[in-house]
């Protein structure tokens, strides 16, 4: 089910109720980009520790924004039946009274989403506003000061048109006479009312819904009464409620403390923190603590399924949809204890049509993969003797070892632990390239040289040495470069190739040489 700015406030009470009654929540996001190319070397690398990767990803999160957020609410209606309400929320940064928010578009990401039918018109025209706590504080101060600053050029044009219409009308209007302003979107309705009330002391405004605002000519006495009314739709609290937009639902998710499920969800968690909670801190450990306080139970289905694929002889998969289909085909259809997953009537199109990379559909797949994976693990732990209708708490028990372990793509650890310390980094076997007679060679050129044989991450070790890491390097790299005129490749040995060890050995050698020399000279002097 798609939800935009026009229908969000109306849907919010029902959404809050469903979240509170849910067994768990599944989440997916689409962004305007993934990895920023500025600064250089910002791509994920096998050399990265979790803290180093976080700092790289933090820069990307600050550059890009969320275009769509998918939320699948899984309710355990009866026994082993789960009813799913899956939503697509189109999002767009709040502009009410704030400094204009800047974000970057990645051409490849835009092309990728367009290929899968993403509607950028809904993102731009009907995106639900949102803000984090810092932005909300600025807006609150802005409203208390009575400011009516408008940051959007489009909104300024709409505002000027409304002011012109009202000032022309009010000259001849009688007291209590009214006029209607039309075609006002979102918080244009608030901005128009705030500016008109500040500029004209003999008018009052009231929103009528359906993009309309009523303007009434009033006496100063009547205006004073209306300003003190508890039913004023331009009260600070209501403006903040509207400007917060999706952040209101985010705060409901936080308060509900339901298990939050994602697939490769590190970037999702970073955007949740940055866009709806607080700007991302510089400290990686502080980020982990904050996320754990917000969402005490995280389950990354990528972490779960990686483990299952190692234990079970299942076909190779490359994306979430394939994982879902393999699990569906490998669970016994005659198993009456297997969880039954039913889409709610307003989300039924996902049962009829695959919609990969649509956030609501991917969130539905993610939650379904969790239930099917948990059932498979439960069957294995009990030798297929599963009691009738296992509860969700039983599924959480078999998933305990995966909780709060978020998958870490291409790095020194397999997952990030949000409820404790990360495991020490373990890098795959490394190769070292010795360069002879090829001056000015850099990391990019080394990467391009070896790319036809195997994809390596490259880092310069010294002036004439480069270290290379790959999850699966091929022995033919060592063979093919055995007699290369400029490049010699060997397996990396820390004691032999580390610049620090070499420096230490050189210093130790010099000290030993001087000691020996002093001993020899001292002995010679004693003899004479």
């Amino acid at each position: 089910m798609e939800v935009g700015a026009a229908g969000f406030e109306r849907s919010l009470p029902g959404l809050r109720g469903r979240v509170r009654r849910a067994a768990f929540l599944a989440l997916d996001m689409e962004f305007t980009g993934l990895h920023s190319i500025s600064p250089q070397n910002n791509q994920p690398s096998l050399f990265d520790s979790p803290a180093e990767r976080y700092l790289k990803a933090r820069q990307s999160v600050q550059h890009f924004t969320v275009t769509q957020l998918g939320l699948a609410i899984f309710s355990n209606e009866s026994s082993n039946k789960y009813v799913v309400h899956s939503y697509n929320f189109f999002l767009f940064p709040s502009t009410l009274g704030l400094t204009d928010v800047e974000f970057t578009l990645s051409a490849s990401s835009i092309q990728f989403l367009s290929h899968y039918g993403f509607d950028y018109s809904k993102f731009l025209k009907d995106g639900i506003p949102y803000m984090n706590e810092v932005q909300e504080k600025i807006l609150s101060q802005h409203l208390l000061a009575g400011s009516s600053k408008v940051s959007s050029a489009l909104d300024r044009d709409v505002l000027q048109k409304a002011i012109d219409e009202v000032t022309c009308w009010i000259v001849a209007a009688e007291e209590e006479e009214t006029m209607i302003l039309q075609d006002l979107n979102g918080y244009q309705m608030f901005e128009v009312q705030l500016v008109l009330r500040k500029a004209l002391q003999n008018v009052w405004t009231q929103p009528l819904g359906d993009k309309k605002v009523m303007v009434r000519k009033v006496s100063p006495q009547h205006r004073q009464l209306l300003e003190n009314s508890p039913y004023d739709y331009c009260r600070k609290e209501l403006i903040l409620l509207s400007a917060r937009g999706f952040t209101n639902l985010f705060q409901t998710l936080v308060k509900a403390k339901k298990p939050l499920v994602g697939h490769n969800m590190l970037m999702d968690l970073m955007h949740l923190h940055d866009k709806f909670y607080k700007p991302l801190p510089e400290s990686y450990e502080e980020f982990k603590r904050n996320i754990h306080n917000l969402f005490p139970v995280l389950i990354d289905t990528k972490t779960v399924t990686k483990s299952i694929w190692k234990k079970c002889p299942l076909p190779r998969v490359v994306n979430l949809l394939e994982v879902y289909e393999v699990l569906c085909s490998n669970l016994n259809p005659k198993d009456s204890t297997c969880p039954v997953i039913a889409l709610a009537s307003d989300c039924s199109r996902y049962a009829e049509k695959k919609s990969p990379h649509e956030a609501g559909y991917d969130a539905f797949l993610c939650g379904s993969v969790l239930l099917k994976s948990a059932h498979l693990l439960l069957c294995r732990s009990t030798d297929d003797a599963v009691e009738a209708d296992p509860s969700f708490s039983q599924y959480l028990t078999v998933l305990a070892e995966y909780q709060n372990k978020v998958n870490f793509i291409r790095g020194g650890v397999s997952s990030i632990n949000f409820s404790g310390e990360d495991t020490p980094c373990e890098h795959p076997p490394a190769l070292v390239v010795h360069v002879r007679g090829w001056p000015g060679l850099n990391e990019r050129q080394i990467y391009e040289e070896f790319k036809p044989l195997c994809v390596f991450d490259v880092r310069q070790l010294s002036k004439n040495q480069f270290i290379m890491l790959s999850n699966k390097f091929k022995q033919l790299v060592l063979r093919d470069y055995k007699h290369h005129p400029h490049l010699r490749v060997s397996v990396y040995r820390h004691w032999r190739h580390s610049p620090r060890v070499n420096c230490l050995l050189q210093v130790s050698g010099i000290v030993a040489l001087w000691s020996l020399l002093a001993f020899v000279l001292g002995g010679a002097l004693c003899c004479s």
Side-chain angles (χ1 to χ4, degrees):
M1 180 180 179
E2 290 186 350
V3 183
F8 179 71
E9 285 189 29
R10 186 172 62 252
S11 305
L12 188 56
L15 286 164
R16 283 173 163 161
R18 281 183 179 143
V19 166
R20 293 186 192 109
R21 295 189 298 271
F24 69 95
L25 309 167
L27 182 99
D28 183 73
M29 291 188 193
E30 302 299 337
F31 314 114
T32 57
L34 279 178
H35 305 297
S36 175
I37 59 172
S38 177
Q40 289 185 341
N41 301 324
N42 204 39
Q43 293 291 320
S45 164
L46 286 167
F47 291 99
D48 292 343
S49 68
E52 289 169 333
R53 177 69 57 79
Y54 168 75
L55 291 176
K56 286 183 177 182
R58 179 174 177 263
Q59 292 173 336
S60 296
V61 169
Q62 291 168 338
H63 275 91
F64 300 117
T65 195
V66 182
T67 57
Q68 190 182 64
L69 186 147
L71 181 68
I73 303 172
F74 282 73
S75 302
N76 195 185
E77 297 286 318
S78 59
S79 60
N80 64 338
K81 182 179 180 181
Y82 294 82
V83 174
V84 189
H85 290 84
S86 197
Y87 299 91
N88 271 315
F89 298 98
F90 288 94
L91 303 180
F92 196 83
S94 182
T95 59
L96 180 58
L98 299 170
T99 304
D100 231 359
V101 175
E102 295 182 355
F103 59 84
T104 304
L105 299 175
S106 161
S108 59
S109 293
I110 299 303
Q111 189 177 49
F112 176 82
L113 290 177
S114 297
H115 175 74
Y116 286 99
F118 184 82
D119 190 338
Y120 280 96
S121 177
K122 290 179 181 176
F123 160 62
L124 295 169
K125 294 181 179 179
D126 197 29
I128 304 163
Y130 59 85
M131 57 176 59
N132 60 36
E133 290 181 5
V134 173
Q135 293 167 325
E136 183 177 341
K137 185 177 180 181
I138 294 170
L139 177 58
S140 182
Q141 292 169 345
H142 165 89
L143 292 172
L144 283 172
S147 171
S148 51
K149 176 186 173 186
V150 180
S151 58
S152 162
L154 176 62
D155 289 348
R156 282 195 290 272
D157 292 342
V158 171
L159 198 56
Q160 189 60 53
K161 180 174 179 286
I163 291 170
D164 291 344
E165 287 182 27
V166 173
T167 50
C168 289
W169 163 80
I170 204 166
V171 174
E174 299 288 335
E175 277 191 13
E176 299 304 318
E177 201 172 319
T178 62
M179 71 167 291
I180 306 296
L181 297 173
Q182 304 196 41
D183 298 324
L184 299 171
N185 292 317
Y187 27 80
Q188 287 176 357
M189 296 179 72
F190 286 113
E191 290 172 329
V192 164
Q193 293 180 81
L194 289 171
V195 171
L196 287 175
R197 290 183 186 188
K198 187 175 181 180
L200 303 169
Q201 298 302 308
N202 58 342
V203 302
W204 191 249
T205 59
Q206 183 179 344
L208 297 178
D210 196 26
K211 302 182 180 181
K212 297 177 183 177
V213 167
M214 182 178 70
V215 182
R216 184 188 302 274
K217 187 173 182 179
V218 296
S219 66
Q221 296 82 3
H222 191 190
R223 164 81 181 239
Q224 191 172 8
L225 286 172
L226 291 167
E227 283 177 344
N228 295 321
S229 167
Y231 304 105
D232 181 10
Y233 286 92
C234 271
R235 294 201 321 273
K236 174 191 166 187
E237 314 89 79
L238 292 177
I239 295 174
L240 281 174
L241 182 72
S242 178
R244 273 198 302 262
F246 188 83
T247 306
N248 293 302
L249 183 57
F250 169 79
Q251 290 167 350
T252 300
L253 303 183
V254 171
K255 289 175 184 175
K257 296 291 185 258
K258 302 291 183 181
L260 186 67
V261 181
H263 190 80
N264 268 335
M265 64 191 300
L266 177 60
M267 294 300 285
D268 296 333
L269 293 172
M270 292 183 72
H271 276 281
L272 282 177
H273 190 299
D274 189 69
K275 304 301 188 289
F276 312 118
Y277 178 52
K278 292 178 181 178
L280 285 167
E282 289 187 15
S283 165
Y284 164 67
E285 293 298 335
E286 183 182 347
F287 162 68
K288 288 209 307 179
R289 285 193 301 271
N290 289 348
I291 289 294
H292 188 56
N293 289 334
L294 294 170
F295 303 106
V297 181
L298 298 170
I299 306 176
D300 190 333
T301 52
K302 181 66 175 181
T303 303
V304 177
T305 53
K306 270 200 314 188
S307 175
I308 289 175
W309 256 250
K310 288 177 182 176
K311 297 173 183 177
C312 304
L314 296 170
R316 185 174 178 273
V317 292
V318 295
N319 58 47
L320 181 60
L321 179 57
E322 290 182 7
V323 171
Y324 172 75
E325 290 174 338
V326 166
L327 288 172
C328 286
S329 62
N330 277 271
L331 286 174
N332 184 356
K334 296 180 180 179
D335 181 3
S336 61
T337 66
C338 190
V340 177
I341 302 168
L343 281 155
S345 57
D346 54 358
C347 312
S348 58
R349 74 182 179 92
Y350 288 156
E352 301 154 5
K353 180 186 175 185
K354 298 174 185 176
S355 304
H357 304 293
E358 184 172 293
Y361 182 70
D362 283 355
F364 159 70
L365 291 183
C366 190
S368 301
V369 163
L370 177 85
L371 289 172
K372 292 177 183 296
S373 297
H375 191 75
L376 190 59
L377 290 168
L378 186 63
C379 290
R380 285 178 61 86
S381 68
T382 56
D383 296 324
D384 292 328
V386 177
E387 295 179 14
D389 303 336
S391 65
F392 185 66
S393 61
Q394 286 178 277
Y395 287 152
L396 282 179
T397 300
V398 297
L399 291 166
E401 65 179 287
Y402 308 108
Q403 288 182 25
N404 298 315
K405 306 290 196 312
V406 170
N407 188 55
F408 191 65
I409 303 171
R410 285 184 67 79
V413 296
S414 61
S415 62
I416 290 174
N417 184 3
F418 276 85
S419 56
E421 292 186 5
D422 296 324
T423 56
C425 288
E426 291 184 5
H427 296 295
L431 298 180
V432 64
V433 180
H434 304 261
V435 182
R436 293 176 297 184
W438 194 342
L441 200 63
N442 59 34
E443 291 178 1
R444 188 68 199 174
Q445 289 170 305
I446 289 286
Y447 173 81
E448 293 295 336
E449 172 73 23
F450 288 90
K451 187 170 69 172
L453 297 176
C454 189
V455 177
F456 288 96
D457 287 328
V458 182
R459 185 170 288 180
Q460 190 155 8
L461 194 61
S462 64
K463 183 180 178 181
N464 296 314
Q465 287 185 325
F466 295 83
I467 188 169
M468 303 194 304
L469 286 179
S470 176
N471 284 326
K472 295 178 182 178
F473 79 78
K474 299 178 181 178
Q475 290 295 329
L476 58 89
V477 174
L478 296 171
R479 185 197 68 196
D480 288 3
Y481 282 81
K482 189 173 182 179
H483 303 292
H484 193 279
H486 301 296
L487 303 176
R488 190 175 82 252
V489 182
S490 58
V491 176
Y492 178 81
R493 299 282 183 260
H494 183 72
W495 58 268
R496 183 179 176 188
H497 298 116
S498 170
R500 291 181 181 178
V501 173
N502 285 333
C503 182
L504 181 61
L505 289 174
Q506 288 173 13
V507 171
S508 301
I510 292 170
V511 171
L513 181 61
W514 276 104
S515 299
L516 180 61
L517 187 60
F519 176 76
V520 171
L521 291 174
L525 288 172
C526 289
C527 291
S528 63

